[in-house]
Amino acid sequence: MRIAIAVIGVLALAALAGCSSPTYGGGGGGGGGGGGGGGPSGEIIVGNILFKSAHNGSQNPAIDSVAVGSTVTWTWTGTGTVPHSVRSQGASGFTSSAVETGDGKTYSVTFTTPGSYSYDCAVHGAAMSGTIVVR
């Protein structure tokens, strides 16, 4: 029983370490990312029924940390004809995107105030979600 608890604890710490990676102070742009992570913070993949951090690979929710003044860019990748959007949620907000269809679309927001910014897709709701932590 102690071994099982220790293993769960180690896995939980590893998951938290992935969410608390170093911040990124640069701007965004139209770059997307593929792969399972390792890209700069502030780049989010909009896929078919998922938001995925290009930095740490977290998805639904995609969780990323950026420095104050950073630009976060969402890039539609592999979405085909399925519509998606980036819709701000909660008290800390930002301007939401339009509903877009098609690969290669991008939407960017520059975050100038520290806080936690939650978002989802206006079409798919909680099935597609994420949080940007601005430090």
Side-chain angles (χ1 to χ4, degrees):
M1 183 67 170
R2 288 187 203 184
I3 293 173
I5 292 172
V7 168
I8 291 170
V10 168
L11 291 174
L13 287 173
L16 287 173
C19 292
S20 63
S21 20
T23 59
Y24 171 70
S41 296
E43 291 187 15
I44 309 295
I45 297 164
V46 180
N48 263 337
I49 321 299
L50 69 83
F51 287 117
K52 182 176 182 179
S53 167
H55 176 67
N56 61 33
S58 62
Q59 69 182 40
N60 291 339
I63 301 172
D64 227 333
S65 296
V66 298
V68 170
S70 293
T71 299
V72 174
T73 300
W74 290 263
T75 302
W76 279 240
T77 306
T79 58
T81 60
V82 179
H84 300 291
S85 72
V86 178
R87 178 175 64 178
S88 180
Q89 298 287 306
S92 295
F94 56 90
T95 303
S96 299
S97 76
V99 174
E100 298 277 4
T101 302
D103 294 346
K105 304 284 185 178
T106 61
Y107 181 68
S108 297
V109 174
T110 300
F111 291 90
T112 58
T113 304
S116 182
Y117 298 84
S118 296
Y119 60 92
D120 70 1
C121 172
V123 177
H124 298 99
M128 289 178 68
S129 64
T131 300
I132 304 296
V133 178
V134 181
R135 299 179 185 171

